Amino acid sequence: MEKITSFTINHLKLLPGIYVSRKDQAGDSVITTFDIRMTRPNFEPVMNTAEIHTIEHLGATFLRNHEFFSSRILYFGPMGCRTGFYLLLSGDYKSGDIVPLITEMYEFMRDFEGEVPGAAARDCGNFLDMNLGMAKYLAGKFLESVLYGIDDDQLIYPEG
């Protein structure tokens, strides 16, 4: 079997950032898949499921309600390795195109107060696995360490 594209990226060189993971054609539309990498793979601890789950709920809610991008959002969810998230957008984008959107989303998460959207038994299959405090902390850390000073090393996958 052929390796899938995401397994061909050298994770030992991969820094936290925003990367175009792939582009697919769906009929007349281009679907851009983004790798939103919050922790450095194999160097930093991975995120726990409770904060990942909380970030997923907050991020999906924010994105699906965004004034400009809501109609372009196809999916936002965690990576199995627990180092980041995938965002699928309808349209042909580069990583730099969505830095303002991702910054706005992480500011929303960092500043969020109240009940996590969808964190109820009726709305979620594992509603007790949430950690808002840690999700807010990680969102703030990602903003400060990556998004507010992002450069090409954090927007383009490393070679080899």
Side-chain angles (χ1 to χ4, degrees):
M1 285 188 154
E2 211 174 297
K3 268 189 181 182
I4 63 171
T5 306
S6 61
F7 295 157
T8 66
I9 303 305
N10 186 343
H11 285 69
L12 298 173
K13 293 182 177 181
L14 187 59
L15 300 174
I18 302 169
Y19 305 94
V20 170
S21 176
R22 59 185 291 151
K23 293 186 183 189
D24 296 288
Q25 197 69 36
D28 293 337
S29 299
V30 174
I31 308 300
T32 305
T33 299
F34 291 98
D35 170 335
I36 302 169
R37 194 65 61 152
M38 290 183 63
T39 66
R40 187 169 177 201
N42 303 305
F43 285 87
E44 293 181 85
V46 298
M47 296 177 283
N48 292 312
T49 61
E51 48 262 29
I52 288 174
H53 193 196
T54 306
I55 290 169
E56 176 192 19
H57 276 238
L58 293 173
T61 298
F62 172 83
L63 292 165
R64 299 226 180 247
N65 285 282
H66 193 270
E67 184 178 342
F68 177 75
F69 280 97
S70 63
S71 65
R72 294 166 174 83
I73 304 300
L74 300 177
Y75 174 77
F76 174 74
M79 295 175 179
C81 62
R82 298 186 290 149
T83 62
F85 293 83
Y86 287 114
L87 171 63
L88 278 69
L89 289 179
S90 177
D92 190 356
Y93 296 97
K94 296 182 295 237
S95 297
D97 296 338
I98 67 159
V99 170
L101 171 68
I102 301 305
T103 301
E104 189 180 348
M105 178 175 73
Y106 277 84
E107 288 172 340
F108 170 81
M109 289 189 265
R110 179 199 61 200
D111 300 338
F112 186 83
E113 296 293 332
E115 295 296 316
V116 175
R122 181 185 177 282
D123 303 332
C124 177
N126 193 11
F127 78 101
L128 294 175
D129 191 28
M130 297 275 178
N131 186 338
L132 179 59
M134 194 60 170
K136 290 170 59 120
Y137 168 80
L138 290 172
K141 182 178 181 239
F142 191 57
L143 284 162
E144 295 297 329
S145 65
V146 177
L147 294 174
Y148 288 154
I150 200 162
D151 61 28
D152 283 347
D153 289 343
Q154 297 165 306
L155 292 169
I156 300 166
Y157 275 141
E159 295 291 323

